[in-house]
Amino acid sequence: MRNYQILVVEDDKEIQELIKQFLMTQNYIVETASDGLEGMRKFNKQSYDLILLDVMMPNLRGFEMAQMIREQSNVPIIMLTALEEEQHQMKGFDIGIDDYITKPFSFHVLIRRVEAVLRRSYDQSTDNHLVFKEVHVDCDAYKVYVNEVEILLTTKEFEILQLLLQNEKKVLTRERIIEKAWGYEYCSETRIIDTHIKNIRKKLDIPYIKTVKGIGYKIDE
């Protein structure tokens, strides 16, 4: 089962902590931010699978943050707000958010909405095929092809390559790759990622896996 990573941007500390704890009970990996500026800083440092975004926040409102995200990413966004007027909901959908939940809300309903948005957003892309230049990944069959020639990878090599392709052109830290490919139970040296990347590069013989010095890796032209 994929461990989705969620960024919760909420200025009410009590609500923020409740959302975090409830999501974590459902095995989601959760990070938090207390306003839009902090949220954007975190978003720009790493990739997330879903953003839960409050509307009324200091420094940078949710609508403005959503707009900034949409200028660079199609990551799913669910807005959380006490604003019930239809015009506010329509504004969010016009920006390109994926769902809109008004406060107060049931945490069980929140989980169902999160599950639905993640299913719509990722089921097709993660369970079928990923293509980048001459690289073709069949995610269902765990097969990789370069120029239509199958390349044999280990399971972990496959999962790392798949993760890079799913986050095309975004830098993934070694820690992020560990979290996704191994889960939190893996506590060894993160430099093991370097060995896997070296093997993937050697087997695929492609120039697209880039090292970002001191941070991690990305796949890019």
Side-chain angles (χ1 to χ4, degrees):
M1 179 180 177
R2 178 177 176 181
N3 292 319
Y4 290 102
Q5 182 143 329
I6 298 174
L7 175 62
V8 177
V9 188
E10 166 65 64
D11 66 323
D12 186 312
K13 289 288 189 178
E14 183 177 353
I15 295 176
Q16 178 193 108
E17 184 63 22
L18 286 171
I19 293 173
K20 177 181 178 180
Q21 293 302 322
F22 201 81
L23 289 172
M24 289 176 65
T25 66
Q26 306 300 309
N27 298 317
Y28 293 109
I29 301 167
V30 184
E31 290 196 22
T32 60
S34 296
D35 61 54
L37 290 179
E38 182 185 3
M40 283 306 302
R41 283 195 295 269
K42 290 194 172 185
F43 176 78
N44 287 325
K45 284 183 179 178
Q46 70 177 78
S47 61
Y48 295 93
D49 298 304
L50 174 69
I51 312 293
L52 286 177
L53 180 58
D54 188 28
V55 171
M56 303 299 291
M57 296 185 295
N59 299 323
L60 184 67
R61 284 164 49 94
F63 288 130
E64 284 70 35
M65 181 177 171
Q67 182 69 57
M68 293 170 69
I69 291 173
R70 277 293 168 264
E71 290 173 357
Q72 56 182 299
S73 172
N74 289 321
V75 61
I77 299 173
I78 298 177
M79 299 201 82
L80 309 173
T81 181
L83 301 174
E84 298 183 9
E85 291 84 354
E86 182 177 305
Q87 66 190 54
H88 293 116
Q89 297 186 34
M90 295 307 296
K91 181 177 181 180
F93 288 122
D94 287 343
I95 291 171
I97 69 168
D98 297 84
D99 206 348
Y100 195 107
I101 303 176
T102 56
K103 301 175 182 177
F105 51 80
S106 159
F107 285 100
H108 294 286
V109 170
L110 173 65
I111 288 296
R112 293 294 181 267
R113 303 285 274 275
V114 165
E115 290 173 348
V117 168
L118 288 172
R119 186 166 55 248
R120 291 198 305 267
S121 300
Y122 295 109
D123 273 2
Q124 291 185 344
S125 63
T126 59
D127 291 340
N128 294 317
H129 300 269
L130 296 166
V131 178
F132 184 86
K133 297 294 184 179
E134 64 265 35
V135 182
H136 174 199
V137 174
D138 183 338
C139 300
D140 287 333
Y142 264 59
K143 292 182 181 293
V144 178
Y145 302 88
V146 176
N147 289 321
E148 300 183 0
V149 176
E150 183 177 355
I151 308 297
L152 298 179
L153 299 182
T154 67
T155 300
K156 280 293 178 277
E157 289 167 358
F158 179 91
E159 290 173 353
I160 291 169
L161 176 63
Q162 179 179 249
L163 183 61
L164 290 170
L165 289 169
Q166 288 168 346
N167 294 274
E168 181 181 322
K169 300 184 179 181
K170 298 195 75 171
V171 179
L172 298 181
T173 65
R174 292 178 178 85
E175 292 76 13
R176 168 73 165 167
I177 296 172
I178 286 286
E179 288 174 1
K180 287 293 188 178
W182 276 268
Y184 277 121
E185 71 275 12
Y186 188 89
C187 301
S188 187
E189 172 57 52
T190 58
R191 290 288 174 176
I192 192 173
I193 296 299
D194 300 348
T195 301
H196 284 293
I197 292 291
K198 179 181 177 181
N199 292 337
I200 294 169
R201 284 171 169 160
K202 183 177 180 180
K203 291 179 179 180
L204 269 59
D205 192 24
I206 57 173
Y208 309 124
I209 301 175
K210 311 293 185 181
T211 300
V212 182
K213 190 174 181 180
I215 301 177
Y217 298 95
K218 67 175 180 176
I219 194 159
D220 201 345
E221 299 177 25

